Amino acid sequence: MTWWKEGIVYQIYPRSFADSTGNGVGDLRGIISKLDYLVELGVDIVWLNPIYQSPNDDNGYDISDYDAIMAEFGTMADFDELLAGLHQRGIRLIMDLVVNHCSDEHPWFVSSRANPTGPYRDYYFWRDGDQDRAPNNWLSVFSGSAWEFDPASKQYYLHLFSKKQPDLNWANPDLRQDIYRMMRRWFDKGVDGFRMDVINMISKHPHLPSVGDEIQLSWGGEYFINGPKLHDYMQEMHREVLQHYDCMTVGECFDVDIEQGKQLVGADRNELQMIFQMEHMALDHGPAGKWDAQATWSRVALKSILKRWIEGLDGIGWNSQFWMNHDQPRAVSRFGNDQSFRIESAQALAAVTLTLPGTPYIYMGEEIGMTNVQYPIEAYRDLEIINWYREQLAQGRDPVQLLTSIHRMGRDNARTPMQWTDGPQAGFTTGMPWLRVNPNFAQINVAAAQAEEQGVWPWYQRLIALRKVRKTLVYGHYESFMDSSEQVFAYRRRDANGDFLVLVNLSDQPADLTLPEPVRRDDWHLVMTNRGPADQPSRPNLAQPSVWLQYLSPWQAVVAERPLGVNNGT
């Protein structure tokens, strides 16, 4: 048994999960109060977004003390109680490791800025320039230049994200050792692993060159993503820290291809166990990027991406499976239909996540089908949204069009408070929440979802339970069918212990199936389906293989099994 392969991960954004104090901000004691909810759902790994001390410029991703808890979230005693409570329930905890950058209020940077000749100056990227021209033309992820001028020392420092998030210089061996010591302290406290934020950005081109026209700001990713020393650093981290613990690691990696993925997660490489490749997260991006989002996306392209990663890493490394996280829109609004088929499409997406090869990740609220929001600009709190809106407005863009993009792709879609009940503020807080609750909480909330016998929550619960018991859904061989269909995602998972067929209609229209002859035989028996005879009264009983091997209702998901010993066509 490999626990991080067989486990199901539940991601918690602490600010938005549960508030125990009434101050409108989720906290550790709020999470403690919901531990039995996690047990009931069936998850066995929790990933917490950053809870470290932070000025909160980027909601905790600007860390000022890696060894302290943000006061809004509670105390270290609260954390110890949370960790113990999870472990007592058989749930492991992975933390967010944010070491591409830190806060400009971290003591390292305070010393670096104050003393240009001191030992911490080289913990960061300080370069000469003048007040009108930065050292290069790199564009920040959060808009504007990636450089900030420091009048006192008359130099610039690099920040690929907010100006309050200076990038750490991994070329400095003392910095790396400080990071490794910090990681060991958390492991020794009992945490079970790390999700590593933008980890493939830690190696920069040593000369930090400009991109193209030096005058115009440009995306410089070719010089700071998958850099020349990335694998050296990851292997050193493994030698120094990771190999000494029974831990789980997953790296957030943008702009990686299969070959780079093999290097990062290859079992013989001693780097990471999994990565989040973001290729399928760009399916609906337009030519100008995520804010140029397209209303439609190609299911053929989606299946092709997932298949390439599954087959590319097969026998080499391990995959992760996810539809969303704290940086992405709500899955059911983006890849499903949150109007006419909210429950059915949320169920269909869940069937894919929990039956594909790789460790599944569920983002809080996904298990009840929470949706995107459409707020006025003043209601948003995300730095990326606010900066981009201001920049675009200054360039004369139509504010209505800008809001349309934000409604579709903004990160605050995922960060609205968890909807627990139909009571005030959705049961998240007794006070005023830090970010508005989605107005649809009266209809979409945990209490209502748990009471819906055919709803999203019990469907997740059953899928999780099935994956835990039937390891074929973890380790079985993957074979896909109907790859050119713009409606149906069809595949088989099989090994010596089982033989499963998964059929999912990812569209609003009925779908006819054209499965190969060995698969179309009627010796499958239905394990789960989210739609039954009442959904299509003009059709025969959808529980019969003769029907669902030929036809699927809109957003119908089928999980079927062929008993071992039956001729399986191989």
Side-chain angles (χ1 to χ4, degrees), residues 258-272:
I258 298 290
E259 292 308 310
Q260 291 162 336
K262 289 178 183 178
Q263 289 184 294
L264 285 162
V265 304
D268 61 345
R269 294 277 302 173
N270 294 326
E271 296 189 26
L272 295 169

Side-chain angles (χ1 to χ4, degrees), residues 4 8-12 45-49 61 94-97 194-201 225-226 248-258 260-261 264-265 272-282 305-306 309 313 318-328 353 358-363 366:
W4 47 267
I8 293 95
V9 183
Y10 187 87
Q11 182 188 352
I12 292 177
I45 304 169
V46 164
W47 156 26
L48 282 187
N49 286 101
Y61 280 90
I94 65 171
M95 302 278 282
D96 227 309
L97 184 73
F194 287 108
R195 173 267 186 185
M196 302 184 186
D197 186 63
V198 294
I199 196 65
N200 65 328
M201 291 187 181
I225 295 178
N226 305 315
M248 169 180 165
T249 57
V250 54
E252 179 191 33
C253 294
F254 290 89
D255 295 339
V256 291
D257 58 25
I258 298 290
Q260 291 162 336
L264 285 162
V265 304
L272 295 169
Q273 293 161 344
M274 285 174 275
I275 60 171
F276 293 132
Q277 61 81 16
M278 297 293 173
E279 198 175 345
H280 65 303
M281 291 291 99
I305 291 168
L306 297 180
W309 280 93
L313 296 185
W318 196 249
N319 270 282
S320 59
Q321 299 296 345
F322 66 101
W323 286 114
M324 66 170 298
N325 56 40
H326 62 289
D327 287 332
Q328 302 293 336
T353 303
T359 299
Y361 291 76
I362 301 165
Y363 181 78
E366 202 173 353

